Amino acid sequence: MQRKSKLPEPRRLQDYAPPDWLVPAASFRFELDAVRTLVHARLEVVCNRDDIRALVLDGEELELVSLRIDGVAQPLPNVGADGLTLAIAGRHAVVETVVAIRPSANTQLMGLYASGGNLCTQCEAEGFRRISFFPDRPDVLTRYAVRLEADLRAFPVLLGNGNPGDAGLLGGGRHFAEWDDPFPKPCYLFAVVAGQLEALRDSFVTASGRVVGLAIWVAAADIDRSGHAMLSLKQAMAWDERVYGREYDLDVFNIVAVNDFNFGAMENKGLNIFNARYVLADADTATDHDFDSIAAVVAHEYFHNWSGNRVTCRDWFQLALKEGFTVYRDQQFSADLGSPAVRRIESVRSLRLHQFPEDNGPMAHPVRPESYIEISNFYTATVYNKGAELIRMMAGQLGAERYRRACDGYFAGHDGTAATVEDFLAAMAAEGLDAALFARWYSQSGTPTLTATVEHFAGDGCALLHVAQASRRHGTLQEPLPIPLSVALFAADGRRMAARDDLLLTDAENSFLFEGIDAPPILSMNRGFVAPVHVQPAPARDALAMLAAHEDDRFARYDALQQLMHSALAEGMAAGTALGHADVVAAVRSALAGWQDDPAFVAEAVLLPAESLVGDRQHKVDPPAIHAAREALRLSIRAGLADELWAVFHACRTHGGDLSARAKGLRRLKGIALGLLMAGDAADATSAAFGMFSAADCMTDRMAALSALSHSAAPERDAALRVFFERYRGFPEVLDKWFAVQAASTRGDTLETVQMLADHPLFDARNPNRLRALALGFAGNQARFHDRKGAGYAWLAAQVLAADRINPQSAARLVGPLARWRRLMPPWGGLMSDRLLAIGRSPGLSKDVREVVESSI
Ligand SMILES: [Zn+2]
């Protein structure tokens, strides 16, 4: 493939060198204005090498107004594309710059930008260079003092990192506020906010008795929908003290909700900035899933105060050091709040949906990547979710007590510094982990495949389990990884004969002996999903049906039923016709029978695998065949279990305001039962769905009914969409659901609908949430995105190019679905690669989009 335009040279982990200059202290004065903000910076710089080199300050789209070195005004130097290079005479200096920036013209949403009339910042990973000239790298730790000045009426609230200092009035209708952060931090954790915001306030008393003022800042109309985020924050603060011994360290903790945001949320020191969808919730506007996501994201960002902020990353290759660890911590928190088994099912499903395909695609990279061109392309499921799985495995190996001591050692040993994955592994090794072995997980990409076979010695009443591992990258076999195993052996009658959860596969092949095996054993592998691996071969269907009924590990029971469904779908596709669903129907019937004991678990167990998960198991993906096979299975389940499903549908009654785990489980199960009953667009289910939609007293029920209706050809569908739109047009994060649910419809006219929605007055490609809801909602629609003419791909490619002119990070995320072209059968694979090539030929592409496109072709 010939490159049309040159990409910048990648940065490499092996080239790391400490910074030439450090900035131990800095003060900033912002003259805030949406059109033109002046940033006055005063940096105390200190040489960090024996010989003195030029001081290089990163900068992007900054207008340099003035420069002084050690108090002496300098002629304005030429500013290069990447920043400012200054010759400094001694080993210390004070560098003062004044720059002008344009927040309201900043559509990239990196640096200081305007959102809904307010001003806010996003600096991770490399946004601070769009605010001021500075060594923008995480291993430069600085103590910041900040003074904000702005018009009092336009920006009555002025927030910064750290603790509040002086505030007061200035002349000319302006005012100021000072903020001081006593903890040295990298500039990616810098934040300021200015705007018309109201606070929901509360307080938290830490373990050592300090009172912390808590505030969640939102638009005045949203105050009533901020209570759940506040409750979640207080739960997270208490949990981190109890489970990890981590106490909060400032006098205040502020969260600000903004509508235009590239990420979920950002852990800036003492001033978290959140995508509003992860703050605002009440039963009328948020689903149970939204409530749970808010708790998880609030906790995640709060936990970063230690895992990320107090101990930060030396360089961006170490991103998983803070993200994998913190995701694991928020998963533990969520498991403690809800049902651990259901949480585990959700995490694994997400891993399989997002990380496994990434590991098997063109952008595959190790949890710690070795090179990158644009770091924002590496905020991935691999770094976050596989990174969390690695911590989970290590914690499991050490056991709770030693893992806690290892974490204590890591925090104590690296507090106030920028650390590496090696530092974390060394802390784990201090408690006995074979860290050199586990380090391999950080440097190898790809999902390992385990091949497991059992040899039964009937005469001796024992069995040998043989497990072999293989992980290939570009056809080359990689080094064996340490893989924890949790296995059980069952008899055909459902009796568990043996179970072990303390085995560790360390070689390419290991064997393990089990005694007391008096009948031919059926193997249940990777119980609890203790390792992020594939296992082969899949057990026979009768063995899966037995495990689905008798496994006592709930994850394994769930997974057996999922695998049984996968087998039925694969066999149906191979035969070209629906066949043999009787065992699936029987297994679903038996799972449904236990719905009253644990509705949340039963809901997950009977949920059909997503079409993309079915595709991931195919050699080459055939989207229409998958859709047809899955629809046939839905019809079989509906035909075989209509009475049971209707009984569950009618019996699952809750009060919409009841947010207990049981009520959430009942609502989830009711929605999934409705989805199965809607198979074939059955008229009785359509009218039940419309009834449920109309009578719903909470968003979970309303959305479940609307999703079910969205695929229907019945007139109730349009009626429900109209009602929903009118009711929620003033709630941006709710209206995203209205866009997404139509984009995900399996109706034949969905592409036309999506094209119309892109012209809707309330569609705005500058808003990342809205763009994602429509474009990624549609790209995830396996039945309609992959049409035989490639019209869906053409539409997505046009969105990529349009978005790239506005916000390259947002645009690069839209390329992902096209980048998987190699996995698809003709004609789809070829049509996709044509679109990728066309994007690659477009002039003026950002490096964000170019990196993804060029890696994919
Ligand atoms: Zn994070």
Side-chain angles (χ1 to χ4, degrees), residues 506-837:
T506 51
D507 302 320
E509 208 172 330
N510 286 132
S511 297
F512 306 95
L513 179 69
F514 290 82
E515 290 179 329
I517 310 302
D518 56 16
I522 291 166
L523 175 63
S524 180
M525 274 288 284
N526 209 16
R527 305 173 91 209
F529 204 79
V530 293
V533 297
H534 298 296
V535 177
Q536 65 177 28
R541 278 172 69 166
D542 56 347
L544 288 169
M546 182 281 294
L547 292 173
H550 296 288
E551 242 293 9
D552 51 319
D553 176 274
R554 298 210 301 163
F555 178 84
R557 193 185 334 153
Y558 152 84
D559 214 31
L561 185 41
Q562 291 289 299
Q563 299 219 36
L564 181 62
M565 292 177 182
H566 275 294
S567 292
L569 293 168
E571 286 173 29
M573 280 186 281
T577 174
L579 47 79
H581 291 157
D583 54 352
V584 180
V585 171
V588 171
R589 174 183 289 119
S590 125
L592 274 177
W595 73 270
Q596 278 168 317
D597 295 335
D598 191 347
F601 174 79
V602 172
E604 302 308 328
V606 305
L607 181 64
L608 266 58
E611 289 178 19
S612 64
L613 286 177
V614 180
D616 287 338
R617 294 171 169 239
Q618 290 193 298
H619 174 61
K620 288 277 182 187
V621 182
D622 180 350
I626 293 172
H627 182 65
R630 191 171 176 281
E631 286 307 294
L633 181 57
R634 275 178 81 208
L635 279 168
S636 296
I637 292 173
R638 147 109 208 183
L641 301 173
D643 291 347
E644 288 87 342
L645 290 167
W646 279 121
V648 165
F649 178 79
H650 291 301
C652 287
R653 287 170 199 275
T654 61
H655 181 268
D658 181 354
L659 292 174
S660 65
R662 179 161 183 90
K664 287 177 180 172
L666 289 170
R667 286 191 286 267
R668 173 94 170 135
L669 181 58
K670 181 175 189 165
I672 286 169
L674 177 64
L676 290 167
L677 287 163
M678 287 289 290
D681 208 0
D684 54 353
T686 305
S687 82
F690 192 70
M692 178 175 165
F693 176 83
S694 306
D697 63 352
C698 63
M699 181 56 82
T700 305
D701 282 352
R702 194 171 291 123
M703 222 33 234
L706 187 64
S707 301
L709 284 169
S710 70
H711 310 294
S712 170
E716 287 93 329
R717 178 235 192 212
D718 291 340
L721 283 168
R722 260 197 311 277
V723 169
F724 192 95
F725 178 79
E726 288 307 326
R727 182 165 178 161
Y728 295 110
R729 59 187 306 163
F731 297 82
E733 76 288 347
V734 187
L735 210 56
D736 290 335
K737 298 182 195 299
W738 182 81
F739 280 91
V741 79
Q742 296 180 77
S745 169
T746 56
R747 280 164 55 116
D749 60 356
T750 295
L751 176 58
E752 291 80 58
T753 304
V754 164
Q755 286 165 334
M756 275 181 349
L757 288 173
D759 288 330
H760 192 281
L762 291 181
F763 179 77
D764 182 356
R766 286 171 303 183
N767 179 271
N769 291 2
R770 190 62 45 89
L771 178 64
R772 203 173 320 176
L774 186 63
L776 289 185
F778 179 59
N781 181 344
Q782 303 295 307
R784 295 300 160 213
F785 178 55
H786 304 282
D787 71 278
R788 286 186 173 273
K789 294 202 171 116
Y793 308 156
W795 181 83
L796 184 65
Q799 305 309 307
V800 170
L801 292 177
D804 198 33
R805 288 189 284 273
I806 301 167
N807 184 334
Q809 283 191 20
S810 239
R813 285 184 207 144
L814 304 186
V815 183
L818 295 172
R820 305 204 60 225
W821 65 275
R822 271 179 227 277
R823 293 278 301 116
L824 277 99
M825 270 190 175
W828 301 286
L831 291 165
M832 273 189 168
S833 74
D834 290 349
R835 283 298 154 194
L836 271 178
L837 288 168

Side-chain angles (χ1 to χ4, degrees), residues 124 265-267 297 300-301 304 307 319 322-324 326-327 330 379 384:
E124 187 178 0
M266 179 63 212
E267 70 265 23
V297 175
H300 177 99
E301 305 309 332
H304 268 314
S307 50
L319 185 57
K322 77 177 177 79
E323 294 304 343
T326 306
V327 169
D330 83 53
Y379 283 71
Y384 279 65

